């Protein structure tokens, strides 16, 4: 079973629309870490955010915001007033904090976001 | 500050050939890892290392070897390349094994014919 599920394979929006990328994770650990990475068309992987399991506060960084809900095992990412430069593949990832899987970062399959002018 | 350096950027191999993908980091990171990225599959962990002399398998280790003789270097060896190993490979490092963000190299596009 996948530890990280990104159900949206592709999303298309028009510039200035808000868009939410969904991420659902699965773990039995009480200590874990969640991440979002961006992969623009150039191919590099860019770190966006890290959240540990003990910190459920939502975070806002400019036009980006993240909603972490342990009750639903979700860590969703919202882009407000999207721009063409936001077009990229976005990956959600999970790292467990202990046990035999310590050291492994599990990625979702990614969501391709296309923002049209 | 170079960060994580991967070479080569592109490589074409014939089935059965061997090669080594190089990865070096200059941040004194303990943790280093190799991922492969295939269309629609996200990134999958091949091998990782928590320090010099210590390596472990990830999700998809078959067909690949690694070693970590120094803190800086973590090469990935393909012993006998197969078409199924056609992929984009990323090396990544972080300060520690536990929940730190990864710094990624720029990737290697490998084609096995």
């Amino acid at each position: 079973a996948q530890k990280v599920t990104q159900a949206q394979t592709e999303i298309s929006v028009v510039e200035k629309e808000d868009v939410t990328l969904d991420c659902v994770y699965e773990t039995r650990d009480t200590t874990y870490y969640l991440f979002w990475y961006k992969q623009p068309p150039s191919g590099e992987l860019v770190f966006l955010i890290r959240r540990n399991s003990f910190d459920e506060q939502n975070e806002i960084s400019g036009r980006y915001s993240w909603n972490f809900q342990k009750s639903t095992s979700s860590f969703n990412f919202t882009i407000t007033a999207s721009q063409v430069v936001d077009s990229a593949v976005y990956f959600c990832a999970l790292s467990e904090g202990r046990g035999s899987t310590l050291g492994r970062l599990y990625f979702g399959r990614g969501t391709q976001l296309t923002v049209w002018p | 500050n170079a960060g994580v350096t991967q070479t080569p950027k592109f490589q074409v191999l014939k089935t059965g050939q061997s090669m080594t993908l190089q990865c070096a980091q200059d941040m004194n990171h303990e943790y280093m890892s190799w991922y492969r990225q295939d269309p629609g599959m996200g990134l999958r962990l091949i091998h990782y290392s928590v320090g010099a002399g210590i390596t472990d398998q990830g999700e998809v280790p078959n067909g690949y070897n690694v070693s970590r003789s120094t803190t800086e270097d973590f090469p990935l060896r393909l012993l006998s390349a197969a078409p199924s190993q056609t992929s984009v490979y990323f090396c990544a490092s972080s300060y520690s094994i536990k929940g730190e963000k990864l710094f990624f190299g720029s990737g290697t596009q490998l084609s096995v014919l």
Side-chain angles (χ1 to χ4, degrees), chain A residues 26-56:
Chain A
E26 180 182 333
T27 181
R28 294 182 180 180
D29 278 2
T30 56
T31 301
Y32 54 90
Y33 306 86
L34 295 164
F35 302 82
W36 277 94
Y37 286 86
K38 174 182 179 180
Q39 187 176 41
S42 54
E44 76 268 25
L45 284 149
V46 179
F47 167 81
L48 295 178
I49 190 170
R50 166 187 180 267
R51 176 68 73 211
N52 73 56
S53 54
F54 300 109
D55 183 2
E56 276 195 85

Side-chain angles (χ1 to χ4, degrees), chain A residues 37 39 50 97 103-105 109, chain B residues 31 35 37 40 57 99 102:
Chain A
Y37 286 86
Q39 187 176 41
R50 166 187 180 267
R104 299 186 178 195
L105 185 62
R109 296 189 176 189
Chain B
Y31 180 84
Y35 288 85
Q37 182 178 16
Q57 295 182 349
L102 290 177

Side-chain angles (χ1 to χ4, degrees), chain B residues 36-38 82-89 109-113:
Chain B
R36 61 176 289 172
Q37 182 178 16
D38 302 293
S84 61
Q85 293 178 304
T86 293
S87 187
V88 179
Y89 291 84
Q109 173 72 62
L110 175 68
S111 296
V112 183
L113 306 177

Side-chain angles (χ1 to χ4, degrees), chain B residues 1-8 20-34 67-76 90-94 103-108:
Chain B
N1 201 351
V4 180
T5 303
Q6 268 184 256
T7 56
T20 300
L21 278 64
Q22 301 292 343
C23 177
Q25 53 89 11
D26 61 0
M27 297 173 281
N28 203 30
H29 284 171
E30 288 185 351
Y31 180 84
M32 296 185 75
S33 53
W34 278 101
S67 60
R68 184 103 179 262
S69 56
T70 66
T71 301
E72 295 78 20
D73 300 300
F74 191 46
L76 178 72
F90 287 96
C91 179
S93 70
S94 68
F103 293 76
F104 282 90
S106 56
T108 297

Side-chain angles (χ1 to χ4, degrees), chain B residues 37-85:
Chain B
Q37 182 178 16
D38 302 293
M41 297 297 294
L43 283 86
R44 293 181 292 170
L45 181 64
I46 305 171
H47 286 286
Y48 62 98
S49 169
V50 299
I54 307 170
T55 64
D56 205 347
Q57 295 182 349
E59 300 173 75
V60 289
N62 293 340
Y64 307 95
N65 277 357
V66 293
S67 60
R68 184 103 179 262
S69 56
T70 66
T71 301
E72 295 78 20
D73 300 300
F74 191 46
L76 178 72
R77 297 183 186 84
L78 283 70
L79 301 177
S80 179
S84 61
Q85 293 178 304

Side-chain angles (χ1 to χ4, degrees), chain A residues 44-114:
Chain A
E44 76 268 25
L45 284 149
V46 179
F47 167 81
L48 295 178
I49 190 170
R50 166 187 180 267
R51 176 68 73 211
N52 73 56
S53 54
F54 300 109
D55 183 2
E56 276 195 85
Q57 274 193 331
N58 292 331
E59 179 147 344
I60 298 174
S61 175
R63 297 184 296 107
Y64 295 172
S65 62
W66 290 269
N67 182 9
F68 177 28
Q69 291 196 333
K70 290 174 74 171
S71 61
T72 56
S73 297
S74 64
F75 187 42
N76 295 339
F77 173 30
T78 297
I79 302 174
T80 302
S82 60
Q83 300 176 1
V84 172
V85 293
D86 295 326
S87 296
V89 181
Y90 291 87
F91 292 100
C92 181
L94 164 73
S95 173
E96 292 169 324
R98 61 188 70 189
S100 61
T101 60
L102 181 66
R104 299 186 178 195
L105 185 62
Y106 297 95
F107 282 82
R109 296 189 176 189
T111 297
Q112 169 71 62
L113 173 66
T114 302

